[in-house]
Structure formats: C-alpha cells, structure tokens
Amino acid sequence: MQQNFKSSYNVHVVRILLTFVGMIIVGSLLRSLLLPSEFGDYGHYRPGAVTEEANREMRNKTNDSCLDCHYFVKKIHLKGVHEVVSCEVCHGAYSDHVKDGKVIGEMPVYRGEEIKSLCLRCHNKIIRARPPESIKMIAMPEHLEEKNVRTDHVCNQCHHVHAPYKWIKEAREMMGLPEKWEGGSSWKK
Amino acid sequence: MEEITKIKKEIDLDRRGFIKKVLSGAIGGSLLLVMPATAREIAEQIPGMKEQTDLFIADKKFAFVVDITGCIGCGSCCIADKNEYQVPDGHYRTWVERYIIDDHDEVYVDSPNGGLDGYTEPRDDIKNPIRDTFFAPKLCNMCENPSCVQVCPVGATFRTEDGFILVDDKRCVGCSYCVQACPYSVRFINPVKHTAEKCTWCYHRVRQGMLPACVNVCPVHARKFGDLNDKSSEVYKLLHEPHVISVLKPDMGNKPSLHYLGLRREVI
Amino acid sequence: MHEILATASGALGYVFPNDLHVHWSLMIVLYPYITGIVAGAFIVSSLYHVFHIKALKPLAKFSLLFAFAFLACATLPLMMHLGQPGRAMSMFLTPNPSSAMAGFGYIYTAYAFVLALEIFFIYRVHLVKRRQETTGWQHAMYTVFSMASDNLSERSLKLDRKIISFLAAIGIPMACVLHGYVGFIFGGVKANPLWATPLMPVIFLLSACVSGIAGIIVAYFLLRKIAGKSIDMDCVRTSIKFLWGFFIVDFTFEMLEIFSHGYMATAHWHTLHELLWGPLFNSYWVWQVMILSVIPFLLLGYVSIRKVSDSLLRIIAPVASVMILLQVLLMRWNVVIGGQLMSKSQRGSVDFQPHWFEKEGIFLSMVIMVLPIIILYVMGKVFPFWHDDNQSEV
C-alpha cells in the first residue's frame, strides 16, 4: 500500500470537525433568528401568549349586561328567586346577541315542553344528589296532582319562569291569602 | 321614549298577558328596535382589575373553591363554559360528576356529556339503599407544581407570575404529553386547532375584572373565586377558618389552588 | 360524539369525560419500538467492536447499517402523531429543560451523528476505492461520502481505527441514553400508575437490546437467503446466546415490576389489577407473557444450553427471533395503549381498536415499518452489508 496520496492522512477528520462546527454555528444563528421575541424573559415561555389570552373575547357577560336593555324582564327577574339564574345559561352567550352596540342575532326562547325539561334540570326530585337546602325540588307528575291541576300542564302555566312565585303570590293576594308570604314587594319566598 | 312609556303603561295594565306576548315574540321584535343596545361598561366583579395594565396581575393571589355541599348539578357552569370558549363537542374544560353512595359503600359515579345536558334521569342500577349523594364540579386545579408545565417540551404551557397556567396555542406542537401528565384529566387536544386546551379560570375575564364564567352563572354559589391576599374575601375566610376543605389527589404533590369545601374521600 | 368513537371504542365504569380519547396511539407504539431496534442493533455492533466478540464479526457492519436505517425513520411516527408537525422544530428551538420529552431532539441528533460517523469510518476504505473506480454522478457521490480524501496510508487507517473504537465506546452509553430516555418519557408520568415506575427505563432498555438482536438475526437469515449466501452458524449461535441472556434479564424485570406492584398492593395496584385482568388480559397475559415470552424463552434456552444441530438451529433461531420481535412490539402496545386505557378517575377504563386508514392507523404503521427495509436496501447499494461482499476490510 505504499503510494502517494493527494490528501493528508487526517484531512477527512478535519473536514468532519469543520462541518460539525459549521453546523453548530448555522444552528445557533437559526435559533437566534427563529426564537420568538422576549421568549424566556419571565420563564420558559413566550410572554406574548399571556397578553393574547388576556385579550380573548369575553363571550359571556353578566345578568346586568342583559338587563340593561331588557328592563321589563329586569323588573321581574330581579324580584324573584330566580334572580340568581343566569340569563345566558338559558338564552345563550351575550356576544352572539350584541356586538358593538348592535343586535346581531336572535337568542333562543324556550316554550312548552322545552321549558318543562329546563325546569326539571334543577328541580327534579328524582335526582337525589341535590342538597335540599339549596333548591326546591318537586316530582312530576305528583306535583301537578298535589296542586289539583291537569297533569299535562307545563311549568310556566303557573310559574313565571323568571320569578316562579310571581303569579302565585299575585293570585293569593287577589284571593286574600297573603300571610304565607314574606319579603314584602318581592316575589321571593 | 314615547313608545317606552306606552309599553310601561301596557305592562302595568296587564303584566301577565304582556309577558306572555313578549315570550311568544309578538312584542319582542318591536322592542329590540327601540331598546338602546349600547355596550355599557359593566361593573367590575373583582375590584381594581381594570387599572392593572402590567403583563401580570400584581398583589393578588387567586384561589378557587368549589362547594360540594352546595352544587345542585344543574350544569349551568358547563353551559357557560361551552358558550365562553365554544369548546368542541366531546371535550370538556369543566364538567360536573354525580356521586351516589349506597349503604354497602358502593360508589356510583357518572357524568353524561360532562353534565352539560344536566342530570335529568336517576340512576336505575343501584340495588341498595342510598346513603349519600352529591355533585362534584371539576376544572383546572391551577397547581403550584403543575405536571403539564413540567412536561411540555417546548414551553407552550406555563405558569404565569400571577399563578395562572395558560396554553400558548401558537407554540403548542400537539404532542399530548401534558394530557398524559395531568393527574386530573382536565386537558384535551382541540380537534380543530390540534393544540392542547384546558380551563384557564377565565384568565381573560379576570383580567377585565370579571369572575370566571362558571362562577358568574352558578345559581347556588357553589363555585367561589377570589383573592387570598384580601382578608375580607370569602375564599380567604374559607381557607383560613376551620372548614372541611381539601384538594384533589394531594398525594400527587401538585399543590392545587383549587379547593373543595366538604370534599368526600370518594371524589378522585 | 364521532370524535369519541374514533378513539375509544367503549368505556367501562366511570371514565373522566376527557379520558375517552386515547391520545397516544399506534404511532407512539412504533416510536419506542423503532428506537429500541436502533439501540439494540448498535449493541450487536459494539459487542464486536468494543467487547471483541469475534464470532459476531459477520454482523458487525450490517448491524450498524440496520440501526441507521431504522434511526432514519424514528422521527416519522412522531411527526405523524404531532397535532402541529410544522412546529416540530420548536423542540430544538426552545427545549424545556424540565420536560422529559424535550431532550429527544438533541439526543436523537447526537446519536445519529455518532452512528453516521462510525459507518463512515468503517466504510472509508471502501468509499475511497469506489471513488477512484467510478465516474460521473457516482464519483461525485463517493467524493462527498469519502470527504474528498484519498488517503489510505497505514497512518491514516490507524487513526480511523482509534476513532472507530472511540465512537463505538461512546455509542454504547449513548444508545442506552437514547432508549433509557424513551423509557423515562413514560416512567416519569406520575399520573399514570402503569407507567410511573423507575424500572420503566430499565425495562425499555433491555427490551430494546432484545428487539435489536432479534431483528438482526431475522434480517441476517432473510437477506443471506435472498442473496443465496451461506449462513455463519457460529455467528448465529453466539447471537442466540446473547439474545437469550438479554431476554432473561428483560423478562425477569418485566415480571418483577408487576410482582412488586402486586406485593406492595398500594392504591394504584387496584387500578393496575383491573387493567391487567380486564381489557389487557389477552394482549398482556396470554400473548405477551405466555405465548411470546415463555415459548421463545424455552426455545432459546434449549438451543443455548444443548448442542443442537445446525439444521434445527436454522429453524429455531429465526422463529424464536420473530417471536421476540413480536413480544417487544406487544410490550410497547401494552405499555403505551394499556396505560391510557385506565382513566385517571381510577374507576373505569376504555377500549381501543386501531383503524386501518386514519392518520395514525394500521396501514400507515405498516408503511413506517417497511420503510427502514427499503432504506436498508438502498444503503446496501453503497455500503456492502457483508464481509464476503468482495471488498477490503478495516
């Protein structure tokens, strides 16, 4: 194997090492170019993400926001036990309804049997897990039988959905039976 | 304004009939035209938040308390959450579990569609008399030692200096490692964005002085949110007075900032 | 609800609503399987280059090429799995120091360099000679592959030999790190009682060695048969002994892990018991343990201890190796998929059936497993597999 070689005995090793160093340099250059701005200033993350999350659109507002316009509902809703029930849970998110001060969509209003199933979502006695001190529960159709009404009645024929005792209290007042009710002018029990 | 007075008069004349008409939509449409639909500034539910313009919230340490003894399982929180984030079906940023324990100590748990549709049916597979029943709402535990942040390979999920764990959906690679690592299974991969998602305690709402959507809608005040640096806050009092209060899976060592009032050992 | 049907095909007991999805599916089964084969094949080469097991000489070069072909495909299943594969470079850009997964990019790259360099130095004489023999594009290709050096002097070759020993030596701990680390990705997930055990990296590493050796034996038989070349039975006997040795330790640790869990019987054991005697019973106890571990264990033991004839060994060696390859694949399945079948509710489990044609389905898995074989075939055109392939040796 005695012959003359053009390259030196270790040139391939040197070239590999140079390639390696070159790759590290290119790699670190690329890294500094591609790294998101301010990354790592507060921790191992992009601070911009905090601002983006903070600026997310608020889709649900509060009952106050809804009742600001719907003041006739306000007069009823805030006087009854259902004042704690959120408008948007039954009627959908505020931002689907109003945008930049303009009405952009109609919100669902439940009727008939839909109302019944909505009521029973909370007031159904057969779901035993409910703490009785938090909520009044009834069984269907026993409740209707007990009240001597037809069993095909839906809830809002007797109970105003926004203030469940409103009509009942008014009826009792008309018939001169107000003593069972406390709370003065409100329709809370 | 003239029309409004007319309507007022009508309300006074026949309230019941009027509301009925509104509900059936007869007057509703015309009302929309006259009501001033301006986006009024809503009052802050968490005072002083709107003045905070720094990257992080200063001088506040938020905590979340869920009252197991109060929850009625109505699923309002789940509806509000889905409304707020338009969470794809089959994925849950928050959910409500129903627990039924019989007198043989058999525990029955279910959460059909995460409680989003409410609980309308009783369980009919329970053979023995029932001894205890309750609901347990679940959401992000906002751990002090969050497993998800520990395992995220690219720093796309992180704990902010104000204690919120957030997801950077512009950097998430969708590897699901955080989903595997979270002991509470509050994370999922959004099937549309292909990135990880989870409850943020409504960081965007909090930053604007509003309560988290689920807290805001809870009719029985079973979800409580507040500042532990404020000694007059309800959460401070709950956590600093003798109450039956605990966190989920304490042996995981994650130190959740989500606490449960009246927590039973059956809740995992 | 369609989304749920696509991942979990059914649920038993109470499963957390978000746990109905099996997030890590077939692709994440393949990923540790492929890196395991890489690490194991490298060990075979190191047995010759570092530990001077002379009988393994016929496999020394081939096992490196075999390892490289699989290494080239190791990131494929990961890319297929990622929700945002376009952002995969973030693993290099911003690796989170606390994440068990973030190191993969760098460990994988470093290991790929070591492997490529070792192949380069071992084949340098061949590459330099081919460069002189060829013209046109082939000449250009060999010029790049030989780093444009023509020096084959004794001094130069001596330097090469030193570098080969060095690379083979650091390659062993690196292969162990590569695969032990893959085990740690699972072993470090405290929320999953099946994964969270310090034994996980050890089990992954040992099963990696086993699958690598078995893969090399199968490929050796297959390729030599196809090429119509003789099979070095002495080499096979030695490989089989190593395979048996590694498998004894591997299988022992696998069983030890389950046994310790069962003996300590912590709260987690209840969940694990439900899993191993529930949805995983067939794939774990029946297939992984009884059929694909005990049978090859006995077969390998028999041919290692008893003096069996070459003709019998010619049948038993590839059969046992194929069974071991399947055992390791099933072990990956049972760990990766099995671990996700239990809900973190500790009260229920889901069922999982992979589909043929989905993003992470069976068809694509098969493509990914065939791809290394194609790469190996192409590599064989440039780097001859065998010592008797009419070329000079280092």
Side-chain angles (χ1 to χ4, degrees):
Chain A
M1 284 280 263
Q2 209 51 306
Q3 56 183 103
N4 285 325
F5 300 106
K6 276 183 242 153
S7 340
S8 75
Y9 83 101
N10 60 359
V11 69
H12 57 291
V13 182
V14 174
R15 280 177 188 155
I16 285 168
L17 287 174
L18 284 176
T19 317
F20 200 61
V21 171
M23 283 168 88
I24 290 175
I25 292 169
V26 171
S28 7
L29 275 177
L30 275 176
R31 187 176 187 269
S32 59
L33 274 176
L34 294 172
L35 205 63
S37 64
E38 297 180 317
F39 189 94
D41 283 5
Y42 302 93
H44 195 78
Y45 61 92
R46 185 175 61 93
V50 180
T51 324
E52 284 161 29
E53 186 60 46
N55 291 333
R56 185 194 276 269
E57 187 205 359
M58 211 198 305
R59 287 179 40 78
N60 287 287
K61 293 278 167 84
T62 60
N63 280 10
D64 286 349
S65 332
C66 304
L67 299 176
D68 208 22
C69 298
H70 298 270
Y71 83 88
F72 57 92
V73 180
K74 180 180 180 174
K75 286 182 93 174
I76 301 162
H77 194 79
L78 294 185
K79 274 171 87 181
V81 280
H82 273 182
E83 66 168 337
V84 292
V85 176
S86 160
C87 309
E88 291 161 296
V89 164
C90 296
H91 297 291
Y94 180 93
S95 65
D96 288 336
H97 183 46
V98 179
K99 200 182 177 187
D100 302 326
K102 288 197 180 69
V103 174
I104 55 163
E106 292 291 311
M107 306 312 280
V109 174
Y110 294 95
R111 291 189 180 83
E113 284 296 317
E114 286 173 340
I115 287 194
K116 189 174 167 186
S117 59
L118 207 56
C119 298
L120 287 176
R121 220 182 138 117
C122 299
H123 297 282
N124 199 348
K125 202 173 200 165
I126 54 170
I127 309 304
R128 308 183 50 171
R130 297 194 166 114
E133 61 275 18
S134 298
I135 189 157
K136 179 158 166 81
M137 283 178 291
I138 51 104
M140 280 294 197
E142 289 84 345
H143 176 68
L144 297 169
E145 286 161 3
E146 196 185 298
K147 300 291 175 192
N148 293 316
V149 293
R150 273 167 50 189
T151 50
D152 60 353
H153 264 37
V154 289
C155 310
N156 68 326
Q157 279 176 278
C158 298
H159 298 283
H160 190 293
V161 290
H162 286 274
Y165 293 122
K166 174 178 159 20
W167 295 329
I168 293 165
K169 190 185 174 190
E170 284 169 354
R172 280 178 173 266
E173 273 171 353
M174 259 184 264
M175 298 176 72
L177 298 162
E179 70 284 352
K180 206 183 161 190
W181 301 88
E182 303 146 18
S185 63
S186 87
W187 300 310
K188 291 164 195 169
K189 201 177 177 181
Chain B
M1 290 313 272
E2 208 179 80
E3 197 155 1
I4 292 177
T5 359
K6 212 169 82 190
I7 290 161
K8 269 187 183 166
K9 223 177 257 172
E10 204 177 333
I11 293 170
D12 289 333
L13 276 174
D14 178 19
R15 269 185 206 168
R16 191 167 173 172
F18 174 76
I19 300 301
K20 264 192 169 173
K21 274 188 211 162
V22 171
L23 286 177
S24 63
I27 301 177
S30 61
L31 270 175
L32 283 175
L33 298 173
V34 291
M35 293 314 232
T38 46
R40 195 189 64 145
E41 196 82 338
I42 30 175
E44 272 189 321
Q45 293 172 318
I46 309 164
M49 288 305 294
K50 280 198 176 139
E51 294 141 35
Q52 299 222 12
T53 49
D54 291 349
L55 187 60
F56 304 111
I57 305 163
D59 309 321
K60 286 198 193 309
K61 188 172 187 273
F62 288 108
F64 206 117
V65 177
V66 171
D67 183 1
I68 297 240
T69 56
C71 180
I72 57 167
C74 64
S76 294
C77 46
C78 304
I79 295 174
D81 189 76
K82 201 170 172 83
N83 277 348
E84 187 72 25
Y85 298 96
Q86 294 169 303
V87 185
D89 289 348
H91 302 269
Y92 308 88
R93 290 171 76 115
T94 185
W95 69 93
V96 177
E97 294 166 353
R98 169 169 62 178
Y99 284 75
I100 299 169
I101 304 157
D102 72 11
D103 68 353
H104 283 55
D105 288 342
E106 199 73 50
V107 185
Y108 300 83
V109 191
D110 63 351
S111 184
N113 198 17
L116 185 68
D117 309 323
Y119 289 85
T120 50
E121 299 296 325
R123 271 191 85 137
D124 49 13
D125 55 346
I126 297 154
K127 287 158 202 89
N128 302 305
I130 295 168
R131 114 171 128 74
D132 193 11
T133 58
F134 53 90
F135 290 103
K138 295 278 185 82
L139 63 156
C140 180
N141 283 253
M142 292 295 169
C143 311
E144 263 178 63
N145 298 324
S147 309
C148 52
V149 174
Q150 182 187 30
V151 303
C152 176
V154 297
T157 192
F158 50 91
R159 188 168 189 269
T160 62
E161 282 172 19
D162 43 30
F164 286 78
I165 287 103
L166 304 176
V167 182
D168 182 350
D169 61 4
K170 292 208 173 76
R171 300 206 76 243
C172 174
V173 293
C175 69
S176 321
Y177 202 17
C178 56
V179 180
Q180 307 290 359
C182 173
Y184 308 100
S185 284
V186 302
R187 286 177 163 257
F188 57 87
I189 297 291
N190 185 308
V192 184
K193 295 198 284 182
H194 303 293
T195 52
E197 188 174 326
K198 69 160 190 81
C199 158
T200 59
W201 285 9
C202 286
Y203 188 68
H204 62 298
R205 294 175 63 91
V206 173
R207 286 308 300 252
Q208 294 185 57
M210 305 303 291
L211 289 171
C214 57
V215 177
N216 184 47
V217 301
C218 181
V220 291
H221 197 51
R223 288 179 180 240
K224 305 161 204 287
F225 181 80
D227 176 16
L228 289 182
N229 287 347
D230 173 7
K231 294 196 174 169
S232 64
S233 71
E234 188 186 7
V235 289
Y236 178 87
K237 285 177 186 159
L238 283 173
L239 288 170
H240 290 85
E241 285 167 7
H243 287 285
V244 180
I245 201 156
S246 188
V247 295
L248 296 175
K249 297 190 182 183
D251 52 324
M252 280 292 158
N254 279 29
K255 292 192 182 168
S257 309
L258 166 66
H259 304 264
Y260 282 85
L261 191 61
L263 187 67
R264 324 284 218 273
R265 67 195 155 127
E266 287 84 4
V267 182
I268 293 172
Chain C
M1 293 307 268
H2 300 291
E3 200 68 32
I4 294 168
L5 290 174
T7 48
S9 48
L12 206 74
Y14 173 62
V15 174
F16 279 150
N18 288 326
D19 282 348
L20 282 164
H21 308 263
V22 174
H23 285 94
W24 284 359
S25 72
L26 274 183
M27 289 299 141
I28 306 298
V29 173
L30 288 191
Y31 153 66
Y33 189 52
I34 291 176
T35 53
I37 289 174
V38 174
F42 189 86
I43 299 290
V44 175
S45 152
S46 294
L47 284 175
Y48 171 75
H49 287 295
V50 182
F51 298 105
H52 306 295
I53 312 290
K54 292 278 182 277
L56 294 179
K57 192 178 180 185
L59 295 176
K61 285 181 171 179
F62 173 70
S63 52
L64 282 179
L65 297 173
F66 187 82
F68 194 85
F70 276 91
L71 187 80
C73 299
T75 53
L76 269 180
L78 292 180
M79 295 300 279
M80 289 314 300
H81 160 72
L82 284 188
Q84 294 282 354
R87 300 175 185 170
M89 283 314 282
S90 297
M91 298 261 185
F92 289 97
L93 219 55
T94 56
N96 178 5
S98 72
S99 167
M101 193 185 270
F104 180 75
Y106 283 99
I107 292 176
Y108 171 86
T109 313
Y111 187 69
F113 270 119
V114 170
L115 199 53
L117 284 178
E118 193 168 349
I119 291 172
F120 165 74
F121 281 107
I122 284 175
Y123 278 95
R124 204 171 73 82
V125 176
H126 168 74
L127 294 170
V128 171
K129 285 188 174 163
R130 288 293 291 158
R131 183 188 172 206
Q132 286 152 0
E133 290 161 12
T134 52
T135 53
W137 67 269
Q138 281 196 320
H139 179 76
M141 181 183 77
Y142 282 110
T143 306
V144 174
F145 281 168
S146 62
M147 286 278 155
S149 161
D150 68 345
N151 198 314
L152 293 177
S153 65
E154 196 45 49
R155 192 179 173 203
S156 184
L157 295 181
K158 209 175 147 192
L159 177 68
D160 284 3
R161 275 194 292 274
K162 269 190 189 164
I163 293 174
I164 289 170
S165 303
F166 172 73
L167 287 174
I170 64 160
I172 298 170
M174 284 190 72
C176 293
V177 166
L178 176 74
H179 206 72
Y181 163 78
V182 172
F184 181 70
I185 290 181
F186 295 93
V189 179
K190 65 180 172 190
N192 191 314
L194 185 72
W195 294 349
T197 158
L199 269 185
M200 196 53 81
V202 182
I203 294 173
F204 263 60
L205 190 55
L206 288 166
S207 60
C209 298
V210 166
S211 69
I213 301 172
I216 295 278
I217 294 174
V218 174
Y220 181 65
F221 269 94
L222 218 63
L223 294 174
R224 296 292 287 191
K225 271 263 154 43
I226 292 168
K229 287 179 172 158
S230 66
I231 286 164
D232 183 337
M233 289 317 283
D234 190 32
C235 171
V236 172
R237 266 175 218 281
T238 312
S239 326
I240 285 290
K241 272 186 188 145
F242 275 104
L243 181 58
W244 191 49
F246 275 110
F247 191 60
I248 291 172
V249 189
D250 174 37
F251 188 52
T252 309
F253 272 106
E254 279 178 27
M255 291 298 101
L256 205 57
E257 200 247 319
I258 295 296
F259 176 77
S260 311
H261 266 306
Y263 191 79
M264 294 187 287
T266 59
H268 291 321
W269 173 246
H270 174 72
T271 321
L272 287 185
H273 187 272
E274 298 267 296
L275 176 76
L276 293 175
W277 273 268
L280 274 196
F281 185 81
N282 279 333
S283 69
Y284 184 76
W285 289 116
V286 176
W287 283 97
Q288 186 192 323
V289 175
M290 295 314 292
I291 297 173
L292 293 172
S293 292
V294 173
I295 295 175
F297 188 90
L298 296 174
L299 284 177
L300 290 172
Y302 176 70
V303 295
S304 299
I305 297 165
R306 298 291 295 266
K307 194 106 185 89
V308 294
S309 68
D310 282 359
S311 51
L312 186 61
L313 189 61
R314 265 174 221 274
I315 298 164
I316 291 180
V319 167
S321 299
V322 167
M323 289 181 91
I324 295 256
L325 274 177
L326 291 175
Q327 191 268 0
V328 177
L329 179 61
L330 212 58
M331 177 258 180
R332 308 289 191 238
W333 167 279
N334 286 329
V335 169
V336 176
I337 305 293
Q340 296 171 84
L341 296 184
M342 315 170 284
S343 172
K344 288 166 193 157
S345 69
Q346 300 174 17
R347 286 203 165 90
S349 59
V350 292
D351 232 4
F352 176 73
Q353 291 286 314
H355 296 278
W356 276 90
F357 300 102
E358 59 186 352
K359 187 174 157 244
E360 299 183 51
I362 303 168
F363 177 73
L364 202 70
S365 306
M366 289 165 88
V367 170
I368 286 175
M369 286 315 289
V370 169
L371 216 55
I373 315 289
I374 297 169
I375 293 174
L376 193 61
Y377 172 81
V378 176
M379 283 177 77
K381 300 282 174 200
V382 183
F383 306 94
F385 296 154
W386 317 112
H387 282 271
D388 49 10
D389 273 339
N390 186 25
Q391 49 122 352
S392 44
E393 290 170 19
V394 179

